[in-house]
């Protein structure tokens, strides 16, 4: 079969270039993808004639399951991306629940974990200060007694989710699509607290502070300290959470108090929250300015140097989908002619409006069922099925569209030095027979 031959040539002649040409997965070939390629070469590609020129099969381009695994009490076997600070991503097939259980929640730390507070939430204080007439200094009891509690399912996604798709490679954790969670959070609205503090007219931005130590041990440096425009802080879904999935927040995820800023980069959702300050100018904390959580307003040359001075802060995360019932690299029994497909879709501040799937390299797409979110900022369940004409190598492509009509693009777009906002179409390679 012609496609198989050109595939083999592509691999033998120049695998690195082949990868770069294709869908943007870079890096050396790993064991599992070699095995998958071998399988793919041995298999018929029923839709091989529809494969766009220059496209590399996902079996080759995306390593499957060869990352080190997190082994930690209370956590599922997540993919370990870094140990110091601790960073781990959730494989898409572990994201099947509508509400993400604590053990399956991805981990992104920038500093250490403040163990010292785990034993004594009674001494925890939260301060709201800065451009306000009446600063607040509250215990957790005060906070829960004074302000109304709300419970919401909220997506929380790392600004760098999908980063590994950028070509050339960008700085930072090489996330696939698993830096996303959708937990049920209980807490009080930040806006109620801001109102109680009587903000001044000059209060236009926030700055967030947590108790986690800087990795260097320096006490005058924050592991991360980001901020946002007050308009986002005043949204009714921006909350200070004390409970997650009906339980105290796990220590690793911010116990006893954490900010949740749904739809925007996860870095705004400060864990181990001790203070929010209101500011007249954008906050200048760790993770603000330059190329941090900022995107080019006009595209820059991929791989070029840039200080980010003309970039804009990331706000809403872009539309994305995950496939949760079928793993990339799955092998299905010979004779399988119909596959059930399901997952979640979300779109930052927007709702997802549609999800489409394709099993013939994007030549044809079919729309699948998409549920409305149970509340704004929750991800949405999608489900459907696809028919396969025969045994062989297939790719399941899934592509979400947001309420503005924006779709996941074919490749990670708007390259930026720290690799934010990559939301390319999802592709899972499967082998039938
Ligand atoms: N105090 C503190 N808050 C933090 C971080 C951190 O390192 N320290 N990391 C942020 C980033 S970059 C992300 S993506 C999310 C990750 O939350 P999780 O580890 O609970 O999944 O927390 C955010 N809040
Ligand atoms: Mo993040």
């Amino acid at each position: 079969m012609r496609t198989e031959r050109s595939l083999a040539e592509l691999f033998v002649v120049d695998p690195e270039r082949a990868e770069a040409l294709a869908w943007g997965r870079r890096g050396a070939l790993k064991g599992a993808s070699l095995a998958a390629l071998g399988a793919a070469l041995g298999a018929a590609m029923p839709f091989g004639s529809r494969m766009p020129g220059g496209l590399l099969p996902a079996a080759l381009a995306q390593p499957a399951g060869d990352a080190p695994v997190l082994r930690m009490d209370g956590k599922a076997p997540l993919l370990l991306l870094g140990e110091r600070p601790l960073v781990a991503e959730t494989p898409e097939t572990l994201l099947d629940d509508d509400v993400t259980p604590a053990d399956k929640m991805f981990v992104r730390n920038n500093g250490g974990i403040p163990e010292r507070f785990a034993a004594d939430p009674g001494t925890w204080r939260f301060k709201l200060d800065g451009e306000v007439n009446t600063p607040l200094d509250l215990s957790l009891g005060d906070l829960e007694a004074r302000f109304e509690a709300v419970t919401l399912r909220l997506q929380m996604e790392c600004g760098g989710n999908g980063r590994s798709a950028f070509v050339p490679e960008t700085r930072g954790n090489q996330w696939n699509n698993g830096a996303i969670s959708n937990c049920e959070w209980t807490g009080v609205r930040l806006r109620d607290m801001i109102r109680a503090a009587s903000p001044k007219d000059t209060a236009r931005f926030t700055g967030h502070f947590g108790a986690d130590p800087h990795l260097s041990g320096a006490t005058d440096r924050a592991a991360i300290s980001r901020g946002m425009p007050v308009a986002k802080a005043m949204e009714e879904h921006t909350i200070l959470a004390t409970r997650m999935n009906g339980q105290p927040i796990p220590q690793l995820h911010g116990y006893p108090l954490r900010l949740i800023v749904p739809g925007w980069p996860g870095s705004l959702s400060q864990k181990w929250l001790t203070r929010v300050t209101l500011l007249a100018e954008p906050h200048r904390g760790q993770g603000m300015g330059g190329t941090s959580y900022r995107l080019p307003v006009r595209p820059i040359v991929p791989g070029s140097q840039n200080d980010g001075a003309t970039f804009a802060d990331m706000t809403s995360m872009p539309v994305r989908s995950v496939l949760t019932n079928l793993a990339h690299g799955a092998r299905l029994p010979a004779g399988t002619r119909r596959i059930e497909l399901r997952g979640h879709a979300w779109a930052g501040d927007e709702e997802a409006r549609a999800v489409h799937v394709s099993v013939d390299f994007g030549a044809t797409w079919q729309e699948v069922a998409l549920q409305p979110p149970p509340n704004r900022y929750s991800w949405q369940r999608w489900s459907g099925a696809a028919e396969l004409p025969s045994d062989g190598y297939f790719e399941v492509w899934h592509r979400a569209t947001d309420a503005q009509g924006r779709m996941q693009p074919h490749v990670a777009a708007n390259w930026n030095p720290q690799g934010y906002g990559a939301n390319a179409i999802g592709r899972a390679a499967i082998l039938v027979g």
Side-chain angles (χ1 to χ4, degrees), residues 15-87:
E16 296 272 0
R17 187 175 142 272
E19 286 214 348
L21 269 178
W23 275 58
R25 301 280 166 171
R26 91 277 61 82
L29 291 170
K30 309 229 171 73
S33 53
L34 276 175
L37 177 72
L41 288 174
M45 288 179 76
F47 292 124
S49 63
R50 300 189 190 174
M51 192 180 225
L55 181 71
L56 199 67
L60 173 58
Q62 301 167 205
D66 49 359
V69 165
L70 173 71
R71 292 183 202 288
M72 182 185 257
D73 281 350
K75 295 303 283 186
L78 306 184
L79 307 177
L80 187 64
L81 300 191
E83 283 179 288
R84 200 173 182 278
L86 185 64
V87 182

Side-chain angles (χ1 to χ4, degrees), residues 97-255:
D97 306 86
D98 289 333
V99 175
T100 309
D103 66 317
K104 294 173 183 162
M105 196 181 184
F106 79 96
V107 183
R108 172 47 165 139
N109 288 342
N110 289 268
I113 302 169
E115 294 289 354
R116 63 204 154 104
F117 292 104
D120 191 10
T123 61
W124 193 270
R125 307 295 301 185
F126 168 73
K127 293 186 177 61
L128 181 70
D129 60 15
E131 301 293 308
V132 296
N133 293 305
T134 319
L136 306 182
D137 182 353
L138 306 170
S139 70
L140 293 177
D142 299 336
L143 186 140
E144 285 175 327
R146 271 186 73 175
F147 302 100
E148 185 192 352
V150 292
T151 297
L152 296 163
R153 294 185 190 179
L154 302 171
Q155 11 124 354
M156 213 252 308
E157 181 178 19
C158 184
N161 199 19
R163 177 177 291 135
S164 63
F166 276 113
V167 178
E169 181 171 352
T170 56
R171 292 199 299 278
N173 299 295
Q174 296 301 306
W175 301 110
N176 297 296
N177 286 320
I180 174 74
S181 62
N182 193 67
C183 297
E184 193 169 85
W185 297 96
T186 301
V188 301
R189 297 183 191 95
L190 178 56
R191 78 167 181 205
D192 293 349
M193 310 187 76
I194 292 177
R195 284 177 184 153
S198 167
K200 298 179 181 170
D201 290 346
T202 45
R204 295 182 51 222
F205 299 93
T206 63
H208 313 158
F209 300 86
D212 43 336
H214 192 270
L215 281 184
S216 68
T219 49
D220 58 342
R221 293 173 71 186
I224 191 163
S225 177
R226 303 203 60 243
M228 60 193 167
V230 152
K232 184 65 178 173
M234 297 300 284
E235 272 190 12
E236 62 175 325
H237 296 85
T238 298
I239 64 172
L240 275 69
T242 51
R243 294 176 78 75
M244 186 182 110
N245 300 348
Q247 303 286 325
I249 301 170
Q251 176 63 14
L252 191 56
H253 297 290
Y255 179 83

Side-chain angles (χ1 to χ4, degrees), residues 307-386:
D307 64 7
T310 61
F311 291 10
D313 286 354
M314 276 184 102
T315 57
S316 174
M317 292 293 291
V319 62
R320 190 189 304 272
S321 54
V322 286
L323 170 68
T324 59
N325 72 318
L326 202 56
H328 169 55
R331 299 188 79 154
L332 303 177
T336 303
R337 293 294 176 265
R338 180 185 163 86
I339 46 174
E340 303 290 330
L341 301 169
R342 66 171 187 272
H344 307 285
W346 64 97
D349 285 349
E350 303 288 338
E351 246 180 58
R353 178 170 88 188
V355 173
H356 292 79
V357 297
S358 173
V359 290
D360 60 3
F361 304 106
T364 61
W365 292 89
Q366 52 166 311
E367 188 166 358
V368 294
L370 177 65
Q371 313 269 320
N375 56 251
R376 191 178 171 200
Y377 288 114
S378 170
W379 68 16
Q380 296 161 247
R381 165 71 66 187
W382 65 265
S383 56

